[in-house]
Amino acid sequence: MTPSPTSLFFVLLAATVLVGGCASHAVTDDAIVTNTSRALGLPPSAFTISNRADSGVQTTFLAKTDGGRTYNCYVEGSVSVVGRVVSDAICQEMRQSDAPASARRSNARPATGTAPAPAPAPACNALLRAAGRCN
């Protein structure tokens, strides 16, 4: 017995829905690097991706630049009838208080009693300028 086109359509639709909600299937490492490169305005060779975690349609990860800045980022992705769809990367530079304790200790106040140098201002991009967060 040959399946009808209608039943075949529903089987394919069900498979797409089951797989479509999983970021682990939709978001490739290449998509993460490409979208993060665009978000940070850096070439892919200027940062590394680590701590990838897939949760539903969202993939979170850390991007660390060669200059030592660390960004907490995420993308969202799904698979639909048009193929894989991955959002732009959304990245926020981690503040000193977000850094691991070992990194905070290395930037502690020197024994001489002088204040540590102020933290560098975050890189200004079009989104930060529009939000009025650039100096």
Side-chain angles (χ1 to χ4, degrees), residues 124-134:
C124 190
N125 58 33
L127 185 59
L128 289 173
R129 270 193 293 285
R133 296 185 66 188
C134 294

Short mmCIF file of all heavy atoms in Angstrom, two decimals, residues 124-134:
data_model
loop_
_atom_site.label_atom_id
_atom_site.label_comp_id
_atom_site.label_asym_id
_atom_site.label_seq_id
_atom_site.Cartn_x
_atom_site.Cartn_y
_atom_site.Cartn_z
N CYS A 124 31.98 50.64 21.18
CA CYS A 124 30.75 51.33 20.78
C CYS A 124 30.34 50.83 19.40
O CYS A 124 31.10 50.93 18.44
CB CYS A 124 30.99 52.83 20.78
SG CYS A 124 29.47 53.75 20.59
N ASN A 125 29.13 50.30 19.31
CA ASN A 125 28.60 49.89 18.01
C ASN A 125 27.29 50.64 17.76
O ASN A 125 26.87 51.45 18.59
CB ASN A 125 28.41 48.36 17.95
CG ASN A 125 27.48 47.86 19.03
OD1 ASN A 125 26.55 48.53 19.44
ND2 ASN A 125 27.74 46.65 19.50
N ALA A 126 26.66 50.41 16.65
CA ALA A 126 25.45 51.15 16.28
C ALA A 126 24.34 50.96 17.30
O ALA A 126 23.61 51.91 17.62
CB ALA A 126 24.98 50.71 14.89
N LEU A 127 24.21 49.77 17.85
CA LEU A 127 23.15 49.51 18.82
C LEU A 127 23.39 50.28 20.12
O LEU A 127 22.48 50.90 20.67
CB LEU A 127 23.07 48.00 19.11
CG LEU A 127 21.94 47.53 20.01
CD1 LEU A 127 20.59 47.92 19.42
CD2 LEU A 127 22.02 46.05 20.20
N LEU A 128 24.65 50.30 20.59
CA LEU A 128 24.96 51.05 21.80
C LEU A 128 24.81 52.56 21.58
O LEU A 128 24.33 53.27 22.45
CB LEU A 128 26.38 50.73 22.28
CG LEU A 128 26.58 49.33 22.86
CD1 LEU A 128 28.05 49.08 23.14
CD2 LEU A 128 25.77 49.16 24.12
N ARG A 129 25.21 53.04 20.38
CA ARG A 129 25.02 54.47 20.08
C ARG A 129 23.55 54.82 20.11
O ARG A 129 23.16 55.85 20.66
CB ARG A 129 25.61 54.81 18.72
CG ARG A 129 27.07 55.23 18.78
CD ARG A 129 27.54 55.86 17.49
NE ARG A 129 27.59 54.96 16.35
CZ ARG A 129 28.51 54.03 16.17
NH1 ARG A 129 29.46 53.85 17.04
NH2 ARG A 129 28.49 53.25 15.11
N ALA A 130 22.70 53.99 19.51
CA ALA A 130 21.26 54.25 19.48
C ALA A 130 20.66 54.25 20.88
O ALA A 130 19.71 54.98 21.16
CB ALA A 130 20.55 53.22 18.60
N ALA A 131 21.24 53.46 21.77
CA ALA A 131 20.75 53.40 23.16
C ALA A 131 21.34 54.49 24.01
O ALA A 131 21.02 54.60 25.20
CB ALA A 131 21.06 52.02 23.75
N GLY A 132 22.25 55.30 23.45
CA GLY A 132 22.86 56.37 24.21
C GLY A 132 23.87 55.89 25.24
O GLY A 132 24.11 56.55 26.24
N ARG A 133 24.50 54.74 25.02
CA ARG A 133 25.42 54.16 25.99
C ARG A 133 26.88 54.33 25.60
O ARG A 133 27.75 53.72 26.19
CB ARG A 133 25.10 52.68 26.19
CG ARG A 133 23.71 52.50 26.80
CD ARG A 133 23.40 51.10 27.13
NE ARG A 133 24.28 50.63 28.20
CZ ARG A 133 24.33 49.39 28.60
NH1 ARG A 133 23.57 48.49 28.02
NH2 ARG A 133 25.16 49.02 29.55
N CYS A 134 27.15 55.16 24.59
CA CYS A 134 28.53 55.42 24.19
C CYS A 134 28.98 56.73 24.78
O CYS A 134 28.21 57.67 24.92
CB CYS A 134 28.64 55.50 22.66
SG CYS A 134 28.29 53.94 21.85
#
